[in-house]
Amino acid sequence: MSGNKVSRQKPCHHCKSRSASAPPGTSMIHYEKFWLYRHCSSVQQRDRQAQKAGRLFSGLLAMNVVFLGSAFISSIIFNDVAITLADIWILLSILKVLCLCWITYYLLGTSRQPHAVLYRDSHAGPVWIRGSVLLFGSFSILLNVFQIGYSAILIQCKSKVEIVFPSIEIIFICTQAFFLWHHSKDCIHVQHNLTRCGLMLTIATNLLLWLLAVTNDTIHMEIESQLREVERRFAGSNETTSCICPNTTICKVFQKGYILLYPFNTEYCLVCCSVLYVMWKNVGRRISHDAPHIKPKFKLHGVVLGPLLGTMTVIVGICVFMMYQIQATGSAPNRQVFVMYYSYYIVLLPLMSVVAVIGTVIHALEKRELDTVKNPTRSLDAILLMGAALGQIGMSYFSIVAIVATDPRDLLNSLILSYSVLLIFQNITQNVFIIDGLHRQPSAAGGETKEEQNHEAYDQRRVSMLELGQEIRKASLSYIQSYSHLSWKRRALKEISFFLVLCNIILWVMPTFGAHPVFENGLEKSFYGYSTWFVIVNFGLPLGVFYRMHSVGGLLEVYITA
């Protein structure tokens, strides 16, 4: 018997002498026969099976809650007598109270246990995502305040549930925003199943709140009925509705504020769902620290044309937005303001599509390898980009059908048709560019040239007032040298990424703060009907706003790693 294998039989003295005389490193040990290796393997296998079982159970819980809530919400569309809006609010209030109980338990109990958070995902919950949660959460709180005020004024014809529900919503938004701001990066390692179920329940609640916001047009219909009531009064009719907003300034402010802030609530629900999903994927996750994570810094060195052209685009867009808001918010919107609005998009969208295609070609010409490391945040980014783009793409196809079926040769209709086609193409090309860039490994230099590193080291020393002029001159020379030392591929990617960042910012600002020509031009609304087009717009518009905001984060990541 040879001495290079571990056997259960007692080896002979001759074998022992041969094993002792063998040079070190020549023996081949079958580690799978050791009990310790078998024990560790079984532990790892049981851990993976428990992780899969926990994800499956929590996913089934969320699925059942979403289906139950969707059945309730859909029932008011088909039979609003048996199931009322107040019943849906009661169901959602119960879910929000359960979520608040779990979040409070996580903050005070789970996260404070020993060895609860051993790792933190550096990619999860970036500043811009958490800032979006706070921004949209603040606007959502203000929206609920306006709703409470509006219902309090009309308390004689409103249910008390319409005051209680927004109050619970405010508490839920504040608690959830605090939870996501402080714990979005957690990789929790205790109470896995409870944490997964709590996260999935919170995701399901946010999805139902988003679905209710998409389909609930109660206040909008009330405003439309009040406008018809005014028209009947001018026509001499004595018929009156039972619930009319008094002709006071405060009631009009609540109405206008509610309509203006309505998209922010749906946006808040979508952002929270994305952050909560990453936390759910990170439950029980172990992050390797063998290779230190070097995060490239955001620097403007090496970019000139991108910021210049992007700033010009933002300035022109702000001017168009202000002119549109002044004209379109009047009693009779001018047709020319819609022509101006769509013309701006028709000029900008092809330019964005062309630079995105150029950036994709440059990615194909680069030598950088693909980053194949498992990353839940990056996978979710790609899914969200593709999913959120469906909002604008879907609305564009609905507009195309409405225009082709009516009068496509009209000036405004032809502009809307061109805008819809170009928007579809722009979303597709930009998604390809961003997703391809996110899966590329960062540059070997970490985004810094030697001149930049020397300049940073020199900045750490104290300089006297006499050396201030030399410092300014050295900073200018460092910027010029870093621009000249960048390869043309990296320089082009930085220019393209920064230009698209600024373009997406202005395309995010315009629909977010009230520019909704798809609902105000009247074409699609008259073709599909008010209620149908209201649901389509409330489904597609928040997704479009979310897509622009998420594109900014993805493009900044592409810019940093270029």
Side-chain angles (χ1 to χ4, degrees):
M1 182 180 64
S2 61
N4 58 352
K5 289 187 180 180
V6 177
S7 177
R8 295 182 179 178
Q9 297 178 358
K10 186 177 179 180
C12 61
H13 297 285
H14 178 66
C15 296
K16 288 182 179 180
S17 61
R18 287 182 58 185
S19 299
S21 61
T26 58
S27 62
M28 297 178 61
I29 302 176
H30 293 273
Y31 291 99
E32 66 272 12
K33 294 187 177 181
F34 282 101
W35 70 269
L36 182 60
Y37 183 88
R38 291 197 307 270
H39 178 72
C40 292
S41 300
S42 61
V43 168
Q44 292 176 357
Q45 186 176 4
R46 286 199 301 268
D47 184 60
R48 286 193 296 266
Q49 291 176 351
Q51 186 178 25
K52 292 179 180 178
R55 289 182 176 180
L56 176 62
F57 182 78
S58 58
L60 289 174
L61 172 66
M63 183 186 68
N64 283 277
V65 172
V66 169
F67 281 156
L68 175 63
S70 300
F72 265 81
I73 295 173
S74 301
S75 63
I76 63 172
I77 301 175
F78 304 106
N79 189 357
D80 57 352
V81 178
I83 301 294
T84 62
L85 187 60
D87 298 328
I88 298 175
W89 282 342
I90 292 173
L91 173 64
L92 291 177
S93 297
I94 294 174
L95 292 176
K96 283 186 284 189
V97 169
L98 292 176
C99 293
L100 286 173
C101 293
W102 173 78
I103 292 175
T104 304
Y105 176 76
Y106 183 91
L107 294 174
L108 301 180
T110 304
S111 62
R112 297 187 178 185
Q113 290 188 13
H115 311 293
V117 184
L118 299 176
Y119 309 95
R120 291 179 66 85
D121 188 357
S122 59
H123 297 281
V127 176
W128 66 272
I129 280 285
R130 290 181 292 156
S132 301
V133 171
L134 294 183
L135 175 65
F136 294 134
S138 302
F139 284 123
S140 298
I141 291 173
L142 191 59
L143 170 71
N144 285 278
V145 171
F146 285 159
Q147 186 175 357
I148 293 173
Y150 179 78
S151 301
I153 293 176
L154 302 176
I155 190 64
Q156 71 277 3
C157 58
K158 294 282 188 179
S159 172
K160 293 183 179 179
V161 180
E162 299 187 38
I163 298 178
V164 176
F165 179 77
S167 304
I168 299 176
E169 178 77 6
I170 292 175
I171 300 174
F172 176 72
I173 291 172
C174 294
T175 308
Q176 183 174 245
F178 177 85
F179 167 67
L180 294 180
W181 179 265
H182 290 281
H183 297 276
S184 59
K185 296 178 180 292
D186 289 359
C187 297
I188 199 72
H189 282 274
V190 295
Q191 300 179 354
H192 293 181
N193 293 331
L194 178 62
T195 304
R196 288 193 182 99
C197 291
L199 289 170
M200 271 298 169
L201 180 63
T202 312
I203 291 174
T205 304
N206 281 279
L207 285 176
L208 292 176
L209 290 172
W210 170 76
L211 182 61
L212 179 64
V214 168
T215 56
N216 181 26
D217 57 349
T218 305
I219 292 186
H220 297 80
M221 293 298 292
E222 288 180 2
I223 295 172
E224 289 287 326
S225 64
Q226 291 169 18
L227 293 176
R228 289 193 296 268
E229 175 69 19
V230 173
E231 293 175 357
R232 284 196 297 266
R233 287 180 179 178
F234 278 113
S237 176
N238 293 326
E239 297 180 1
T240 58
T241 56
S242 59
C243 197
I244 298 179
C245 185
N247 191 16
T248 56
T249 304
I250 187 65
C251 189
K252 300 299 181 183
V253 169
F254 285 149
Q255 273 190 351
K256 189 64 180 178
Y258 184 89
I259 295 175
L260 183 63
L261 297 174
Y262 196 79
F264 289 100
N265 190 31
T266 54
E267 194 71 22
Y268 172 77
C269 296
L270 291 175
V271 175
C272 289
C273 285
S274 64
V275 180
L276 290 167
Y277 176 78
V278 174
M279 291 186 64
W280 178 76
K281 292 286 287 185
N282 281 333
V283 172
R285 183 187 175 197
R286 292 178 174 85
I287 301 176
S288 175
H289 294 292
D290 295 338
H293 175 68
I294 301 175
K295 188 175 182 180
K297 297 180 181 179
F298 178 82
K299 292 179 178 294
L300 284 177
H301 287 195
V303 289
V304 177
L305 296 178
L308 181 62
L309 294 177
T311 303
M312 293 173 58
T313 302
V314 171
I315 293 174
V316 175
I318 291 175
C319 295
V320 171
F321 172 70
M322 294 178 64
M323 294 177 64
Y324 176 86
Q325 285 294 93
I326 294 172
Q327 296 291 330
T329 53
S331 58
N334 191 0
R335 180 185 176 90
Q336 296 299 322
V337 73
F338 292 111
V339 174
M340 175 192 64
Y341 184 91
Y342 285 112
S343 299
Y344 172 75
Y345 269 82
I346 289 173
V347 173
L348 180 60
L349 292 176
L351 182 59
M352 296 175 65
S353 301
V354 169
V355 297
V357 171
I358 294 174
T360 305
V361 173
I362 295 175
H363 275 150
L365 296 176
E366 273 193 312
K367 301 291 186 181
R368 286 190 295 165
E369 297 180 356
L370 293 177
D371 189 0
T372 58
V373 178
K374 186 178 179 181
N375 189 341
T377 306
R378 185 176 56 199
S379 302
L380 181 64
D381 286 338
I383 295 173
L384 289 178
L385 283 173
M386 299 299 295
L390 296 179
Q392 290 184 326
I393 293 175
M395 289 174 58
S396 298
Y397 278 117
F398 278 105
S399 298
I400 290 172
V401 172
I403 293 168
V404 172
T406 52
D407 186 13
R409 287 172 291 184
D410 181 70
L411 175 60
L412 181 58
N413 291 355
S414 60
L415 288 176
I416 299 175
L417 180 62
S418 303
Y419 159 80
S420 301
V421 174
L422 291 172
L423 187 62
I424 294 172
F425 187 70
Q426 191 274 327
N427 277 264
I428 295 174
T429 54
Q430 182 171 271
N431 279 349
V432 174
F433 171 69
I434 295 176
I435 294 174
D436 195 10
L438 290 177
H439 286 81
R440 299 281 176 173
Q441 290 185 353
S443 301
E448 291 186 352
T449 60
K450 184 177 179 180
E451 287 76 13
E452 293 176 7
Q453 296 172 356
N454 292 337
H455 182 66
E456 286 183 358
Y458 190 76
D459 280 342
Q460 295 176 357
R461 300 199 304 264
R462 292 195 182 191
V463 294
S464 62
M465 294 300 295
L466 296 176
E467 296 174 331
L468 184 59
Q470 293 181 349
E471 284 299 309
I472 297 175
R473 186 167 63 252
K474 285 180 178 293
S476 303
L477 290 175
S478 174
Y479 183 89
I480 297 173
Q481 290 174 355
S482 64
Y483 184 81
S484 61
H485 278 76
L486 285 175
S487 66
W488 70 270
K489 296 175 186 177
R490 289 180 58 198
R491 189 185 311 168
L493 286 176
K494 284 181 173 291
E495 302 282 8
I496 291 171
S497 301
F498 205 92
F499 171 72
L500 290 177
V501 164
L502 295 178
C503 290
N504 279 275
I505 287 176
I506 188 60
L507 295 184
W508 172 78
V509 169
M510 295 174 75
T512 300
F513 293 96
H516 306 146
V518 292
F519 196 77
E520 294 162 350
N521 60 35
L523 173 66
E524 298 91 344
K525 185 166 59 175
S526 61
F527 183 82
Y528 292 105
Y530 179 86
S531 297
T532 303
W533 187 241
F534 176 86
V535 173
I536 295 173
V537 170
N538 273 340
F539 178 81
L541 184 62
L543 285 177
V545 173
F546 180 77
Y547 172 75
R548 295 300 173 187
M549 181 195 67
H550 205 72
S551 297
V552 170
L555 288 166
L556 286 175
E557 189 74 19
V558 174
Y559 174 86
I560 292 173
T561 57

